[in-house]
Amino acid sequence: MSQRPLKLVPQLTAILVLAVMTLAVWASWLGWDQHRDVQPDGSETGPYEAWQVIGLLLTLLAPVYWAASRRYIAGAVLGVTAGLTVAAFYDWSDDASGLFLIGVGMIMMGSLAVTGVASAVIVSVKAWADSTRKRS
């Protein structure tokens, strides 16, 4: 029997762990802030500030690096994407217009693309560094 099923378990574990971590990170950075700011012209902004979103993204770099550097690419990409998508859906689903689904779709596609590129860069740089070390 091949060892292929044994390699599937760490990938699935990484997906699950990163999805749960992403949900927790979303809750800590964005979940508590539901207040919209009313501008002097009557328009509304928010509920999130730029520093909150930047903090979320920077915090998620650590688990993505951890998973990608161990070659759990599926865990890095699918775990973070699933976590962000579920968190956005839950957080924004009280919108009566239904337009929140467009935002959730954009979160899903954007996080899929960004974590895919970040994982590819991490794996490439790590492979290059390993090959450089072996040549020395």
Side-chain angles (χ1 to χ4, degrees), residues 13-96:
T13 303
I15 291 170
L16 182 61
V17 167
L18 264 69
V20 170
M21 285 179 73
T22 302
L23 286 169
V25 170
W26 177 288
S28 65
W29 281 103
L30 305 178
W32 56 270
D33 189 1
Q34 301 300 315
H35 176 73
R36 293 193 176 272
D37 298 322
V38 179
Q39 302 300 318
D41 64 357
S43 64
E44 292 183 352
T45 61
Y48 314 125
E49 300 292 330
W51 64 268
Q52 290 173 285
V53 177
I54 292 167
L56 170 74
L57 296 176
L58 291 176
T59 304
L60 287 175
L61 278 177
V64 168
Y65 176 80
W66 175 85
S69 66
R70 285 158 181 75
R71 298 201 185 262
Y72 300 144
I73 307 301
V77 175
L78 298 178
V80 171
T81 299
L84 288 175
T85 304
V86 168
F89 184 88
Y90 178 78
D91 203 15
W92 301 342
S93 63
D94 60 349
D95 177 32

Side-chain angles (χ1 to χ4, degrees), residues 26 84-85 88-89 92 95 98-111:
W26 177 288
L84 288 175
T85 304
F89 184 88
W92 301 342
D95 177 32
L99 290 175
F100 77 95
L101 289 174
I102 294 171
V104 170
M106 291 172 68
I107 290 285
M108 182 181 66
M109 290 184 293
S111 61

